[in-house]
Amino acid sequence: MLSLPDATDRRHRISAQLAALGLAFRFHDGIDGRRGLPPEHEPQIDRAAARLRMGRRMTDGEFACALSHQAIYRRIIAEGLPGAVVLEDDATLTPGFAAFLRNRCHDAAPIIQLEHLFADVWRWPRPRLLHPDLPGVRLALLCHNACMTSAYSISRDAAAHVLRESTPLAGVADWPCDVAVLGAAVTLPMLVTSPQVQGSQLEAERAGTVIEAEQAATPRATRRPPAKRFLSAAYWRRWARKRMMRRVS
């Protein structure tokens, strides 16, 4: 359970939910970036690479959040765990979440997002039933990274992959590298929900950096004439890929 040390109310709420479901858990103290990234974490990040990757300045809050998830991955490896189910402390759990854990459904893929946003999944192979005890819940393979790390399972090998591909850190928690190549998946429907991020400090800071980037952007180069795009191999690759996927969130 990822939570800031002073998030007392959130900790009580999520603890009550997990206790009601009869589930054991451990808190992992997140890094607090609300007043800037603590100086001891600067060697772990690459601000210039993050700007190039994202096209904008990455906020201290975003770095702190992503580093907190990385710390969990290091903990998985250091303790020799087979993996972990990671929750952020504002999660609302459905009854299906307990069944997911008790039936070890997390073994079905290296990464499974139980809550997701902007998730595009492959039409083929079709989403498959996750487990008989979860009727109607299916597992769908991602075409590319989906947003949100509020609730997900991750194997030790996947944790090692993310650390290897994103150290020093130059991307957000969801995700700092390509995880679709691992066979990452999402559950349909979602087994965990969380409040909308509008109004949060992290979202406000992120929105500010987007505005900065837009104001500093140079005018875009003249686009390719519409007819000429049909002569581009890249156009047809995108065309084919889009027809092989569908958006589910």
Side-chain angles (χ1 to χ4, degrees), residues 3-15 27 89:
S3 177
L4 292 177
D6 64 355
T8 307
D9 290 343
R10 287 189 172 197
R11 289 192 173 206
H12 283 326
R13 179 178 174 275
I14 192 63
S15 296
F27 278 111
D89 60 9

Side-chain angles (χ1 to χ4, degrees), residues 109 111-113 116 119-123 125-130 137-144 183-188 246 248:
I111 294 175
I112 302 176
Q113 288 177 245
H116 43 85
D120 293 324
V121 303
W122 295 113
R123 293 181 183 273
R126 292 183 180 278
R128 61 182 175 86
L129 183 67
L130 186 56
V137 178
R138 297 188 175 273
L139 191 71
L141 291 176
L142 285 166
C143 306
H144 43 245
V186 296
T187 59
L188 304 175
R246 67 185 180 97
V248 294

Side-chain angles (χ1 to χ4, degrees), residues 113 115-120 142 145-148 174 186 190 196-197 247-249:
Q113 288 177 245
E115 183 177 26
H116 43 85
L117 184 65
F118 304 129
D120 293 324
L142 285 166
N145 290 357
C147 294
M148 301 196 75
D174 56 344
V186 296
M190 292 180 267
Q196 295 297 311
V197 295
R247 178 151 293 185
V248 294
S249 63

Side-chain angles (χ1 to χ4, degrees), residues 90-135:
D90 58 350
T92 298
L93 311 179
T94 69
F97 175 76
F100 177 90
L101 282 182
R102 291 191 176 112
N103 290 292
R104 299 188 59 85
C105 295
H106 43 76
D107 292 336
I111 294 175
I112 302 176
Q113 288 177 245
L114 308 179
E115 183 177 26
H116 43 85
L117 184 65
F118 304 129
D120 293 324
V121 303
W122 295 113
R123 293 181 183 273
W124 302 279
R126 292 183 180 278
R128 61 182 175 86
L129 183 67
L130 186 56
H131 193 275
D133 287 352
L134 285 164

